Amino acid sequence: MQITKTLKVAALTTALALSGTAAFAKDFTISVWAGGSNQNDAYRADAIEMAADILTREAAIRGEEINITVEKKLFNDGWDNFKQAVTLAAESKTAPHIIVTSHADIAPWSQSGLIRPIEDYVDLDAWPLNQIYDNLLEITSYNGQVWGIPQDAESRPFFFWIPHLKAIGYSDEQIEDLPAKVEAGEYTLYDVLEDAKKIQDKGLVEKGKGFSPRVSNGPDYWQFYQSFGGEMLDKESGKLIFDKQAMTDMFQFFADAVKMGVTSSTHLGGDWGQWYNEVANGKAGTWHGGTWHYARYTGKEGLDDFFGNIQFSLIPTGNDKGHANTITHPLTYLISSTGDDEVAEIAAQLVSIASEPRLNTLHAIKSAHLGIGREQSSIALYANDRWASEATDRLLGHASAMPNNTDFGAYWQIMFKGLEAAWTGQKSVADAVAGVEADIKSSMADAVIIK
């Protein structure tokens, strides 16, 4: 952290201490809005309230009086609605002080002045922030500044239905070793398709259910681009990368899955409820999803023995140009521009306290997410949760993320339109990739490196 930023934090903290004496009690109201959140994710906001209690108790012990009221709001009616609510509130200068949102919002919101860099108000070299995983903290950075603190982590693994693997000849030992083979690049995406075909040929699942991808657009599909060697961002120039060969190979993989009959040409746009029920009950052979799906599988879908029925791994490599990988799409605590520096300092301190291992673990375990820091593996609630422990060890260290880039959303939509065209057979793979290139050149050529 730069000296000037350290001094700013120290000055603000001193000012709060001086203004927070019993003779000059300070009252603060801090609002926090959390997108993509229901009651399972309530600790995204509840942890801020708990942090406020800790901060006021610490102040009282020092003989100071700081009263903090936390106003909480969870949004679960779609990300577009949430982001619209935030931006409209910002326009009227009533945005919440703390926003829990995707790291992808950092680039546009920092440029618009909606948020402040959190590194101006916290010490990233001090506990608890210094134990946050480096790759997660990097995801919350943009243009050389740290804008937010990861609120949670997740990963997007590949899943295999164990009884079906056994039925096509896998031994218990081979199933146990499968994640390591995936990580080493010894088991590829085309091995997935071959096994999916064997599972279907034995009549274990219906046609088109051997490999069951997610049914709508999502960050997951960039994992397959990486599996074939694709890169999303040129770090030196800050521009996006369109790797034609990697995207061709990725599109071809899904076209081949359809051609082999293990994935349906009409799979995209399917019903999520039906998909969840199928993958959690052995009606699909292989699939990919999120670590948070564990809660759905073992809860609403009634899967009693997850580890006896499901093996999981990184997304396998596609060829020798790619690598096994996973993408994380963490939600992030951001500090808005609402209020003055004193209010921002209080909000940032609350975020820092909420990021302590024990508090963050409450959210991780309740919502089936992964922790944000190395020390959470020492918290009993986390360490004794088999899913959290194994998913963290197996996946999180390999996780990358979509880039914080204001042009990425447009690029993402162009990519998926091409993938859908190749998948459904509307276009050949070559024509679909050519369409992606044409769209990039016509609408965002200056923002994307074509290679």
Side-chain angles (χ1 to χ4, degrees):
M1 174 176 289
Q2 297 177 7
I3 295 296
T4 55
K5 290 175 181 173
T6 303
L7 290 174
K8 183 174 182 180
V9 172
L12 285 165
T13 303
T14 300
L16 284 171
L18 291 173
S19 66
T21 59
F24 300 99
K26 295 286 290 186
D27 296 327
F28 296 93
T29 297
I30 304 295
S31 53
V32 53
W33 290 4
S37 300
N38 55 35
Q39 285 307 307
N40 281 340
D41 309 299
Y43 277 111
R44 287 177 174 147
D46 288 352
I48 297 297
E49 190 171 50
M50 296 168 73
D53 182 60
I54 292 171
L55 193 60
T56 56
R57 287 173 183 269
E58 289 175 342
I61 290 172
R62 293 193 302 266
E64 304 159 6
E65 186 176 351
I66 302 174
N67 303 309
I68 305 173
T69 300
V70 175
E71 296 179 345
K72 306 175 295 182
K73 192 170 184 179
L74 303 178
F75 289 75
N76 195 35
D77 60 345
W79 279 106
D80 288 342
N81 290 335
F82 172 70
K83 293 177 184 183
Q84 183 181 42
V86 171
T87 53
L88 289 175
E91 290 174 5
S92 63
K93 301 189 184 305
T94 59
H97 303 98
I98 300 172
I99 307 168
V100 188
T101 190
S102 161
H103 72 91
D105 293 319
I106 290 174
W109 286 359
S110 63
Q111 291 192 0
S112 69
L114 196 157
I115 57 174
R116 317 167 190 240
I118 201 168
E119 68 173 25
D120 285 353
Y121 301 94
V122 297
D123 187 349
L124 297 171
D125 297 324
W127 191 88
L129 304 183
N130 63 356
Q131 57 88 45
I132 293 176
Y133 292 114
D134 292 339
N135 60 338
L136 293 183
L137 204 57
E138 183 179 349
I139 292 168
T140 64
S141 303
Y142 177 66
N143 275 352
Q145 291 183 293
V146 179
W147 290 86
I149 300 300
Q151 189 280 320
D152 63 16
E154 39 97 311
S155 190
R156 292 160 192 258
F158 208 89
F159 293 107
F160 306 83
W161 189 257
I162 290 174
H164 295 341
L165 292 181
K166 289 183 177 180
I168 63 171
Y170 277 78
S171 66
D172 289 338
E173 183 179 2
Q174 288 173 320
I175 292 171
E176 184 177 348
D177 291 343
L178 189 54
K181 289 189 66 176
V182 169
E183 182 178 351
E186 297 170 3
Y187 183 94
T188 73
L189 286 173
Y190 278 93
D191 291 321
V192 168
L193 298 188
E194 290 181 12
D195 283 344
K197 186 68 163 57
K198 292 176 184 177
I199 288 169
Q200 283 189 190
D201 289 347
K202 274 192 167 287
L204 301 170
V205 300
E206 295 178 3
K207 181 177 174 59
K209 304 293 185 182
F211 170 46
S212 186
R214 64 173 286 148
V215 297
S216 66
N217 193 4
D220 310 52
Y221 286 109
W222 290 103
Q223 297 172 133
F224 294 89
Y225 175 68
Q226 293 183 145
S227 289
F228 289 100
E231 295 178 286
M232 290 178 273
L233 185 73
D234 177 62
K235 292 186 178 180
E236 186 173 332
S237 67
K239 292 187 176 184
L240 301 170
I241 296 175
F242 167 49
D243 184 327
K244 287 192 288 186
Q245 187 59 57
M247 200 160 287
T248 297
D249 293 340
M250 170 200 175
F251 287 8
Q252 188 64 58
F253 167 74
F254 286 98
D256 288 342
V258 171
K259 185 177 180 180
M260 291 177 65
V262 298
T263 304
S264 170
S265 63
T266 60
H267 181 80
L268 290 174
D271 180 73
W272 271 106
Q274 178 182 339
W275 182 86
Y276 273 120
N277 182 264
E278 289 175 351
V279 300
N281 290 286
K283 297 177 183 178
T286 63
W287 67 100
H288 64 99
T291 47
W292 66 96
H293 288 186
Y294 174 85
R296 175 74 180 248
Y297 300 163
T298 59
K300 184 175 181 178
E301 304 307 331
L303 179 60
D304 293 330
D305 183 7
F306 178 91
F307 293 98
N309 285 289
I310 293 177
Q311 180 60 285
F312 71 99
S313 73
L314 296 165
I315 303 297
T317 187
N319 56 25
D320 57 8
K321 296 177 183 177
H323 60 281
N325 71 96
T326 185
I327 276 180
T328 184
H329 192 63
L331 294 196
T332 305
Y333 281 126
L334 302 178
I335 305 301
S336 81
S337 298
T338 300
D340 57 20
D341 269 347
E342 192 175 37
V343 170
E345 163 72 3
I346 288 289
Q349 286 193 42
L350 297 182
V351 167
S352 183
I353 295 169
S355 303
E356 292 180 9
R358 198 163 191 170
L359 268 67
N360 189 264
T361 291
L362 294 173
H363 166 72
I365 301 306
K366 182 178 181 181
S367 65
H369 281 79
L370 304 182
I372 61 171
R374 293 179 290 275
E375 293 183 11
Q376 283 179 254
S377 60
S378 300
I379 303 299
L381 182 64
Y382 199 91
N384 294 334
D385 186 279
R386 182 178 176 183
W387 174 244
S389 297
E390 291 192 12
T392 298
D393 291 344
R394 196 173 299 177
L395 304 170
L396 201 53
H398 299 272
S400 61
M402 298 184 300
N404 291 333
N405 183 292
T406 54
D407 296 303
F408 186 73
Y411 178 34
W412 185 355
Q413 295 305 315
I414 290 171
M415 178 279 285
F416 191 75
K417 185 176 73 171
L419 173 61
E420 191 170 22
W423 186 323
T424 59
Q426 296 173 12
K427 292 183 179 180
S428 68
V429 168
D431 287 345
V433 174
V436 171
E437 183 175 7
D439 285 348
I440 288 173
K441 286 180 175 179
S442 66
S443 63
M444 54 188 314
D446 293 339
V448 182
I449 297 171
I450 297 176
K451 55 186 284 189

